């Protein structure tokens, strides 16, 4: 490797995953994620516990990322970190750690918007994965986000649709809670959905204008439906679990695809790139592939480890900003409500 190589350490701590990654130009050398199991027993992320766990995890996670990448701190060109959006207490751990490390090493500090990072993760170089061409539509779907973003260049993005209440992952997780499944419920609903009849039960889709989403009514519809059926048959859930999961999945995927179709029509853009934990879902993956045939879309799903919260996506944005000498100073602040 030549001396031109740029090494960036990326740090992510916006929610409940502490992650550190080392990138060499656009190639990931390491991507270490410490997920916080503590939240499972509460059925959702507890902010206080999250920031405490980040404090415990950050030093060993960074250490491991450097070790796996086989580089020393002295070789780093810059430190990139998530400045928002996210939970304030969680963001502060990564922000203060990144600031002091960059200061101590006298190297540039780069602040990264977590939502931009979910989209720019597609530009990590990986064998077998194509990088999108501009312009494209990015759809970020996870437990914390649901957005459709028009992407004209790396840092020329505009949110054209987003949820007005719950995120799509929450729709999965809250429905799962009603059904007595563990947290997060998305993966199990997905698994069972593939064994059930998607048309067994009908849930109405929320009516939201334009490209925005709403999922809070959906979870209530599932709750009322289950309560009603249980009154008639106490074993309704156990006897119909796969069909219920298939029907929930069918409705949720239908909502996402309807909005994508509308976004593609309104913008005239047919390249679509997804990210976030829900992009692991078999239903959305199949629907996107079908869209290639039916609507002439070109679709991109990144390697799974770069779709859920991870520092690899922070490191690639660090690299792209480094090329533009777009650095932050030591006064940079974490911002819980940072916008794209
Ligand atoms: O990106 P992520 O790991 O964390 C954030 O929320 O930022 O996403 C987690 C979310 C959870 O809501 C989980 O239920 C959902 O992604 N999820 C899935 C699947 N795998 C994970 N939802 C549906 N189908 C899946 N296969
Ligand atoms: Zn995220």
């Amino acid at each position: 490797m030549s001396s031109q190589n740029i090494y960036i350490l990326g740090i992510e701590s916006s929610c409940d995953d502490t992650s550190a990654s080392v990138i060499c130009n656009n190639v990931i050398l390491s991507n270490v994620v410490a997920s916080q199991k503590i939240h499972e027993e509460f059925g959702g992320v507890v902010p206080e516990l999250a920031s405490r766990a980040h404090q415990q995890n950050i030093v060993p996670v960074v250490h491991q990322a450097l070790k796996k990448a086989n580089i020393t701190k002295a070789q780093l060109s810059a430190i990139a970190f998530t400045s928002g959006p996210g939970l304030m207490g969680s963001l502060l751990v990564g922000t203060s750690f990144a600031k002091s490390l960059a200061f101590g090493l006298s190297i540039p500090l780069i602040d990264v918007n977590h939502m931009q990072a979910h989209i720019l993760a597609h530009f990590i170089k990986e064998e077998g994965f194509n990088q999108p061409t501009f312009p494209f539509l990015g759809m970020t779907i996870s437990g914390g986000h649901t957005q459709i973003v028009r992407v004209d260049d790396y840092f020329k993005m505009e949110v054209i649709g987003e949820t007005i209440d719950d995120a799509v992952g929450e729709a999965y997780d809250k429905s799962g809670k009603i059904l007595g499944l563990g947290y997060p419920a998305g993966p199990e609903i997905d698994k069972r959905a593939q064994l059930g009849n998607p048309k067994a039960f009908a849930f109405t889709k929320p009516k939201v204008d334009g490209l925005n989403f709403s999922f809070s009514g959906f979870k209530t519809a599932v709750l009322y439906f289950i309560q009603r059926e249980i009154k008639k048959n106490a074993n309704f859930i156990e006897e119909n679990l796969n069909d219920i999961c298939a029907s929930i999945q069918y409705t949720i995927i239908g909502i996402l695809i309807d909005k994508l179709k509308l976004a593609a029509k309104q913008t005239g853009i047919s390249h679509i790139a997804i990210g976030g934990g829900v992009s692991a879902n078999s239903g959305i993956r199949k629907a996107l592939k079908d869209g290639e045939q039916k609507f002439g879309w070109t679709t991109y799903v990144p390697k799974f480890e770069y779709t859920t919260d991870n520092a690899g996506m922070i490191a690639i944005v660090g690299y792209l900003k480094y090329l533009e000498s777009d650095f932050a100073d030591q006064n940079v602040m974490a911002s819980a409500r940072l916008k794209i």
Side-chain angles (χ1 to χ4, degrees), residues 14-17 114 118 141-145 168-173 183-191 249 275-282 304 307-309:
S14 66
C15 188
D16 61 339
D17 295 302
H114 179 93
H118 267 302
I141 42 177
S142 77
H145 341 288
V168 59
E170 285 181 279
Y172 269 100
D173 297 336
Y183 173 86
E188 187 173 353
I189 294 182
D190 186 15
K191 218 187 295 162
Q249 176 133 316
V278 181
S279 58
N281 184 268
S282 65
F304 185 65
T307 73
T308 57
D309 286 353

Side-chain angles (χ1 to χ4, degrees), residues 257-258 260-262 264-265 269-272 287-299:
I257 293 295
D258 282 354
L260 270 183
K261 271 161 62 182
L262 185 61
K265 193 171 156 213
I269 297 173
S270 58
H271 285 234
I272 295 168
L288 287 176
K289 274 279 156 256
D290 289 351
E292 297 199 339
Q293 303 290 321
K294 279 201 254 173
F295 316 120
W297 290 350
T298 306
T299 64

Side-chain angles (χ1 to χ4, degrees), residues 60-211:
V61 163
V62 167
H63 187 75
Q64 219 184 324
L66 289 167
K67 200 169 151 202
K68 270 199 175 163
N70 201 21
I71 71 149
T72 64
K73 283 192 289 230
Q75 288 172 276
L76 291 173
S77 319
I79 311 286
F81 71 99
T82 305
S83 61
L87 301 169
M88 197 44 152
S90 292
L91 289 167
L92 280 173
V93 178
T95 303
S96 31
F97 185 89
K99 277 190 191 183
S100 15
L101 191 55
F103 185 75
L105 296 170
S106 298
I107 53 175
L109 179 65
I110 301 171
D111 57 323
V112 175
N113 179 310
H114 179 93
M115 297 310 298
Q116 284 191 345
H118 267 302
I119 288 168
L120 296 176
H122 285 270
F123 294 97
I124 292 171
K125 193 171 169 195
E126 273 290 337
E127 226 180 279
F129 291 84
N130 294 329
Q131 301 185 4
T133 49
F134 300 114
F136 66 90
L137 295 174
M139 184 167 74
T140 310
I141 42 177
S142 77
H145 341 288
T146 309
Q147 282 190 336
I148 300 179
V149 182
R150 180 192 167 112
V151 190
D152 286 292
D153 206 338
Y154 295 122
F155 297 105
K156 199 163 168 250
M157 301 186 190
E158 185 194 353
V159 177
I160 56 173
E162 63 189 329
T163 182
I164 57 171
D165 42 56
D166 288 354
V168 59
E170 285 181 279
Y172 269 100
D173 297 336
K174 290 177 178 176
S175 301
K177 200 169 179 180
I178 295 165
L179 298 173
L181 306 178
Y183 173 86
E188 187 173 353
I189 294 182
D190 186 15
K191 218 187 295 162
R192 290 184 173 277
Q194 293 169 63
L195 307 170
N197 172 9
K199 306 244 168 98
F201 308 107
F203 298 104
T204 42
K205 292 185 196 167
K207 295 216 173 0
V208 189
D209 282 346
L211 298 174

Side-chain angles (χ1 to χ4, degrees), residues 261-332:
K261 271 161 62 182
L262 185 61
K265 193 171 156 213
Q266 284 185 2
T267 59
I269 297 173
S270 58
H271 285 234
I272 295 168
I274 65 165
V278 181
S279 58
N281 184 268
S282 65
I284 189 75
R285 284 173 178 243
K286 183 174 180 306
L288 287 176
K289 274 279 156 256
D290 289 351
E292 297 199 339
Q293 303 290 321
K294 279 201 254 173
F295 316 120
W297 290 350
T298 306
T299 64
Y300 307 87
V301 184
K303 197 174 169 191
F304 185 65
E305 70 167 295
Y306 305 132
T307 73
T308 57
D309 286 353
N310 73 94
M313 69 184 195
I314 306 305
I316 185 71
V317 182
Y319 172 67
L320 295 169
K321 282 189 141 185
Y322 188 94
L323 295 180
E324 298 186 5
S325 300
D326 186 355
F327 303 135
D329 64 34
Q330 281 285 331
N331 297 324
V332 64

